[in-house]
Amino acid sequence: MIRRPPRSTPSNSSAASDVYKRQQIARLAGVSQPVVSSVINNSPYNRPSPQTREKILKIIRKYNFQPNLTAQSLKKGKTNSIGVTTGGANFVRVFAHPYMSRIYAGIAAGLENTNYRLVFCHFKQIVTSTDALQLASSRFADGIIYILLSVYLKQFKKDKIVEEYNKLGIPYVIIHSLQQDLGANSIGLDCVYGGMVATEHLIQHGYADQGGIGFVQVNSNIPHINNLFKGYKKALKKHNIKFKAKFVYLAHGFHYSAGEEVVKQILQNKVLPRALLVSGSGLTFTLMKGLKKAGINVPDDIAIVGFDEYPMAEFVEPQITYIEQPAFQKGREATLLLLKLIEAKEKRKKESNLNVYLKPRLIIGKSCGC
């Protein structure tokens, strides 16, 4: 049985208590204390044989020994924690959102076979970006993954978040949906390429000659959607197709009524576009419902390609063709990059800004006419 330390032992010190418990486990297992620490920390050093390791683990389980994480952090100057920012008024809804949940799944995949745990820093008003700095400044994590939704890019820059993280000297990686150097380590997305690939797919169907290819814009201040629009125009220019402003429709959000607004705009024009590239995540489904209600068939009357329509795409009839936002890959790549930066810091190596730009891919369904 693990004995309590005598009163003369500084039991009020969590670090001393932790060391004492490890000594007791080592005594019961008949091994040295460094061997016990190796098993607890899953360290590559002082590793015992599989049989001895199992013996130590049995003792730990029997006496319900819990290592004191605070004591370890103070001793090593390391928390073995990765901080992840989240944002929005509803904490639960953030995790349920398809884009965010796929990023978190990617982060978890990147941490497989490591000793790191995740700490989530949530701020209700996502534009109050400075709240996320508290996790870093309090040193509750060895590194931070900051998820930046591009709609808040202006506020992010205004708050000088990159400069603040650089001052703190803690490794961090920013996940975003832009092909833009933010002056920081980041994982971005080439949405210009995505818009171009999707538009060229519709051009290959011959829709440009059958009435024209339109674009559904969501607001006008969302940078990654503006990049999709650039890709759309770039593809038209490449194939010598005249850009028609009348085929650009504005949705004032991602809700169902926004889809109905776009349908009204389409009908008011009197000339239907033969195909549409829809830039808003989640908007394609509502738009298709609105078109069906108006008696317009997809893809026979209007072919459609959406953006980031996972996971609903394959369950909608017709199955949605869409530009995939590689959210899982973003999370995984960001985690691997952050671990590399943490290791470099521990070895006192300097890393220059590392920017990775992923390319979206076109997932073919039936809404495009394929």
Side-chain angles (χ1 to χ4, degrees):
M1 182 176 180
I2 297 181
R3 300 189 300 271
R4 289 182 179 275
R7 288 189 179 276
S8 57
T9 302
S11 55
N12 60 328
S13 164
S14 58
S17 177
D18 193 67
V19 169
Y20 184 81
K21 288 175 183 176
R22 289 172 192 245
Q23 288 172 345
Q24 293 289 71
I25 292 167
R27 183 181 63 79
L28 290 168
V31 297
S32 67
Q33 188 184 327
V35 171
V36 172
S37 295
S38 172
V39 172
I40 291 170
N41 300 325
N42 197 21
S43 168
Y45 306 107
N46 298 307
R47 272 190 175 165
S49 67
Q51 294 85 355
T52 304
R53 175 183 169 81
E54 186 55 37
K55 184 180 179 182
I56 293 168
L57 288 173
K58 277 184 180 177
I59 294 168
I60 290 171
R61 287 193 292 267
K62 182 178 178 180
Y63 295 106
N64 194 28
F65 169 71
Q66 298 293 330
N68 190 301
L69 301 178
T70 304
Q72 288 184 39
S73 299
L74 289 170
K75 186 179 178 182
K76 299 178 183 177
K78 186 175 172 66
T79 67
N80 272 70
S81 295
I82 298 293
V84 182
T85 67
T86 69
N90 189 313
F91 188 51
V92 176
R93 195 176 297 162
V94 170
F95 282 86
H97 191 281
Y99 172 66
M100 298 295 281
S101 63
R102 276 148 51 217
I103 287 180
Y104 298 146
I107 291 171
L111 290 178
E112 272 189 320
N113 303 317
T114 74
N115 294 321
Y116 284 94
R117 64 191 67 83
L118 292 175
V119 179
F120 287 93
C121 173
H122 183 74
F123 38 101
K124 287 189 176 180
Q125 296 299 322
I126 197 165
V127 291
T128 315
S129 312
T130 48
D131 289 358
L133 290 166
Q134 292 175 5
L135 192 67
S137 59
S138 302
R139 303 291 171 178
F140 281 123
D142 298 325
I144 301 287
I145 294 175
Y146 190 106
I147 302 171
L148 171 64
L149 303 182
S150 71
V151 67
Y152 302 115
L153 180 63
K154 282 185 181 178
Q155 185 68 39
F156 181 84
K157 288 183 174 179
K158 184 181 176 184
D159 289 343
K160 297 185 177 178
I161 299 300
V162 169
E163 291 88 336
E164 291 298 322
Y165 272 114
N166 288 338
K167 280 181 196 173
L168 290 169
I170 186 170
Y172 68 97
V173 176
I174 298 168
I175 294 177
H176 57 91
S177 296
L178 306 167
Q179 192 177 25
Q180 184 175 335
D181 186 355
L182 301 177
N185 307 299
S186 70
I187 305 294
L189 184 67
D190 188 351
C191 281
V192 174
Y193 171 83
M196 191 168 179
V197 166
T199 307
E200 287 193 327
H201 182 72
L202 293 171
I203 290 170
Q204 286 162 10
H205 272 283
Y207 297 141
D209 299 325
Q210 297 171 24
I213 299 168
F215 187 90
V216 178
Q217 172 81 288
V218 183
N219 297 323
S220 56
N221 63 340
I222 303 177
H224 78 274
I225 288 180
N226 290 338
N227 286 344
L228 287 168
F229 187 49
K230 286 177 186 175
Y232 159 77
K233 291 174 79 174
K234 192 174 178 181
L236 294 180
K237 187 175 180 180
K238 177 183 173 183
H239 294 271
N240 298 313
I241 299 166
K242 187 179 178 182
F243 167 71
K244 296 177 182 178
K246 69 178 181 180
F247 282 161
V248 177
Y249 309 95
L250 183 62
H252 298 286
F254 304 95
H255 43 80
Y256 182 72
S257 60
E260 290 188 324
E261 287 169 11
V262 173
V263 173
K264 284 179 184 176
Q265 291 174 45
I266 292 170
L267 296 175
Q268 282 169 1
N269 272 350
K270 295 181 180 178
V271 179
L272 294 181
R274 183 58 188 86
L276 284 172
L277 172 54
V278 185
S279 63
S281 174
L283 184 61
T284 308
F285 175 64
T286 65
L287 178 61
M288 285 170 63
K289 285 188 77 174
L291 289 171
K292 185 178 181 180
K293 193 176 176 181
I296 299 170
N297 186 272
V298 176
D300 296 340
D301 298 322
I302 296 180
I304 285 181
V305 173
F307 174 72
D308 193 28
E309 294 302 342
Y310 178 91
M312 72 173 71
E314 62 180 294
F315 301 109
V316 175
E317 186 60 42
Q319 196 173 7
I320 299 173
T321 296
Y322 67 100
I323 308 162
E324 181 189 45
Q325 165 116 259
F328 179 90
Q329 193 181 352
K330 278 184 179 181
R332 186 174 182 277
E333 292 292 330
T335 305
L336 296 177
L337 177 54
L338 183 62
L339 293 177
K340 180 180 177 181
L341 293 169
I342 291 170
E343 184 182 1
K345 185 187 177 188
E346 289 171 354
K347 293 180 178 178
R348 298 187 179 180
K349 287 182 180 178
K350 264 200 169 184
E351 291 278 4
S352 56
N353 289 342
L354 300 171
N355 294 287
V356 177
Y357 300 108
L358 303 177
K359 286 190 181 294
R361 61 182 180 137
L362 195 64
I363 305 299
I364 304 295
K366 295 179 180 178
S367 66
C368 63
C370 279

